[in-house]
Amino acid sequence: MDKKETQFTSTELQTLAELIFPNWQKLPSLEELDKRYPKRELPFGAIVNRVAPSPTGMMHIGGLYVALVNRRLAKQTQGVFFLRIEDTDQERAVVGAYETIVNSLADYGLSPDEGPMHNSDGEIVEEGNYGPYVQTSRKEIYHACAFDMLKRGAIYPCFMTKEELDKQREEQQKLEVRTGVYKEWALGRYLSFQEIESKIKAGIPYVLRLRALGEIDKTISWEDEIRGTLTVPENIVDTVLIKSDGIPTYHFAHLVDDHFMRTTHIIRADEWISSVPLHLQLFSAMGWEPPFYTHVSAIQKMAETGKRKLSKRHDPEASVSYYWENGFPRQAVIEYLLNLANSEFEDWRRVNPTSDYTEFRISLGKMGQAGPLADLIKLESISRDILSRMPIEALYKVSYAWAFTYDKELAEEMAKDPLYSQRALDIERDSEKGAKRLSTLKDLRPQLAPFFDHFLPPANELPFPDNVKAEDRKAILELVKERFKDSDPPEQFFENLKLISAELGFAGAVKDFKKNPQMYKGHVGDVASIVRVAMFGSTRSPDLGQVLKVLGNQTVVNRCNRAISVN
Ligand code: GLU
């Protein structure tokens, strides 16, 4: 093609811009926007960053991961972390997804400083002076910037239809040249003023494209804090910035929003690396200082076919909701993600077992270029540690909150006497063995249920061992009933049991029984088993003395009676 691109006079550009934005007089000027969204006054080195999810469905664990990294960096530098909802792709918008984003961040203690968040009544409201924070409410701001770019000829209307674009792509493929709208393939660049004017007046749909000034043989570099200096070819593609319905594309919205929201650092998923040349070009087209761009590698999963990104479609653990549903306390998920971000976190935690995780300083430079590997076993061990370390009141709170949704029956029992539930949960928590019992909140049911009569098996189904006769069983339980006092220290219980054993013809020590088995009906362990089954409905339990102490006098008597009634 030897055609020349159309050169417009400034009057022509102004006329076209006014034609495209007939309400141009109502649009704010860039100066006004600058005043409305002034540079933020923050301490030197403060980072202003954000998460900018699209409300297209569930919240991805990768989204939470990026939010955590951003939030920590903003907090560490006394900066600002905000939430922006990128809903310009209305076709992909899913009802309820906006709430899911806001709620997920809140649930994980990652609510933003600005943007949509809960107020004290739990309603979602927008806070902050740089809003609105939902892109579809920012149309006027995008149009103001597009109007400015049109007047300068930095963007232009393109009327190419889908069919034309498809045909052109085929031709490019045949010619084995790069596909897309650029240089001589960007037909809109060659339309005359009159052609454009009449098409617009005739109501022919069009998009607004960037007049890309890049050259394919030139490169552009930037410093990515995780990846170091990245150098790639300049952008030459006349990317769509405003769609035919007047809504901006992600690229344009990102430019306008991150400029006027005064973002200093874009820390986002690595899928956007290839957009940086375009984004830098956009900032330069506006004469604005670009933010720093850093790209976080996606969390990987070891699958049969090797490492791959966690997939929304195939991996339930890709969804944030998976973790709570499966009983992982939120704090465990946060610490797990911190571990994925900076492996030093684990050592730090070991040295500082009781510090709040926010005291750990996260660093972009220490994040790996290779995506971290999801490791649910690791998460489980973090979860176990956290559950065993938690003050008992907090453990009760998180347990009840979980059971309230996922084990209603248990939650109902727990709520009847929270202190009783706390004492039950606390048994042996300080020992290694005891701590292991609660890896996730899914283990609550087996731990707690035996403390509530409601869950005990029917008396005639109690799994008493066969090696103790019914009459002995009854005699044991009669004596337990008579002698147990919940005011005694738990160790006393075993002493009592030894005496009861001796009185009823059982050996008080296993080794005595082993020496002369014919002299005894059994040993203290057999006696303990009877008590265990009667009290706990099971042949396994935590330390019996402690169990009985928590059950208390009345319940011990009731459970003894209940078991005695069985023949
Ligand atoms: N809306 C984009 C996404 O959901 C945001 C990317 C960014 O952080 O700039 O991936």
Side-chain angles (χ1 to χ4, degrees), residues 124-143:
I124 297 180
V125 291
E126 279 191 33
E127 295 288 352
N129 296 331
Y130 290 78
Y133 294 88
V134 176
Q135 286 184 330
T136 43
S137 308
R138 300 174 58 81
K139 222 168 151 180
E140 159 201 85
I141 308 172
Y142 304 127
H143 287 185

Side-chain angles (χ1 to χ4, degrees), residues 238-488:
D238 287 2
T239 310
V240 176
L241 298 188
I242 303 269
K243 296 179 273 188
S244 56
D245 55 4
I247 307 263
T249 56
Y250 161 67
H251 305 296
F252 192 56
H254 151 57
L255 163 79
V256 173
D257 294 345
D258 282 315
H259 174 69
F260 284 117
M261 292 177 171
R262 308 295 177 183
T263 310
T264 61
H265 290 66
I266 311 268
I267 302 159
R268 62 185 174 189
D270 57 357
E271 66 193 280
W272 297 107
I273 291 184
S274 58
S275 301
V276 177
L278 166 65
H279 293 174
L280 290 173
Q281 207 172 51
L282 289 172
F283 273 91
S284 130
M286 291 306 290
W288 292 339
E289 194 188 329
F292 292 101
Y293 286 95
T294 295
H295 297 87
V296 175
S297 302
I299 301 174
Q300 309 278 312
K301 172 175 178 133
M302 190 52 94
E304 277 162 28
T305 46
K307 269 196 202 173
R308 62 163 172 76
K309 277 188 190 182
L310 267 187
S311 134
K312 239 180 181 180
R313 208 145 7 108
H314 305 296
D315 307 316
E317 71 271 32
S319 168
V320 169
S321 62
Y322 167 90
Y323 296 87
W324 181 239
E325 269 162 37
N326 282 284
F328 294 107
R330 265 78 178 231
Q331 195 188 332
V333 177
I334 291 289
E335 298 209 0
Y336 163 70
L337 294 177
L338 277 172
N339 247 328
L340 294 185
N342 279 185
S343 53
E344 288 82 353
F345 178 77
E346 196 169 359
D347 291 335
W348 177 87
R349 179 45 92 205
R350 213 169 290 131
V351 181
N352 304 281
T354 53
S355 302
D356 196 281
Y357 80 85
T358 54
E359 286 172 34
F360 173 76
R361 279 187 81 81
I362 199 169
S363 138
L364 283 179
K366 288 186 180 150
M367 289 181 79
Q369 282 195 40
L373 209 51
D375 182 351
L376 293 180
I377 295 178
K378 177 90 207 163
L379 170 60
E380 198 166 310
S381 103
I382 295 174
S383 169
R384 191 163 43 238
D385 276 359
I386 284 181
L387 290 172
S388 70
R389 248 190 357 243
M390 236 178 222
I392 189 65
E393 299 76 19
L395 177 62
Y396 174 77
K397 212 168 147 202
V398 71
S399 299
Y400 180 72
W402 185 84
F404 187 79
T405 312
Y406 299 109
D407 194 344
K408 276 243 173 319
E409 219 184 347
L410 183 65
E412 253 167 51
E413 295 299 320
M414 289 170 77
K416 286 180 191 161
D417 187 349
L419 282 178
Y420 175 72
S421 304
Q422 286 182 25
R423 287 199 302 272
L425 274 174
D426 217 12
I427 292 180
E428 289 183 336
R429 225 161 45 100
D430 50 1
S431 75
E432 211 174 293
K433 192 169 116 225
K436 277 201 185 120
R437 294 208 181 96
L438 211 57
S439 290
T440 73
L441 299 167
K442 276 191 163 175
D443 299 329
L444 276 178
R445 170 66 86 114
Q447 292 310 306
L448 271 187
F451 288 91
F452 302 109
D453 293 346
H454 178 79
F455 298 105
L456 285 184
N460 57 2
E461 286 174 26
L462 287 170
F464 287 116
D466 298 334
N467 60 352
V468 177
K469 287 197 200 121
E471 57 186 79
D472 289 325
R473 189 172 76 213
K474 292 183 189 202
I476 293 167
L477 295 172
E478 286 292 352
L479 289 181
V480 168
K481 198 170 97 179
E482 215 175 280
R483 296 182 190 172
F484 176 73
K485 280 207 274 334
D486 57 17
S487 50
D488 287 343

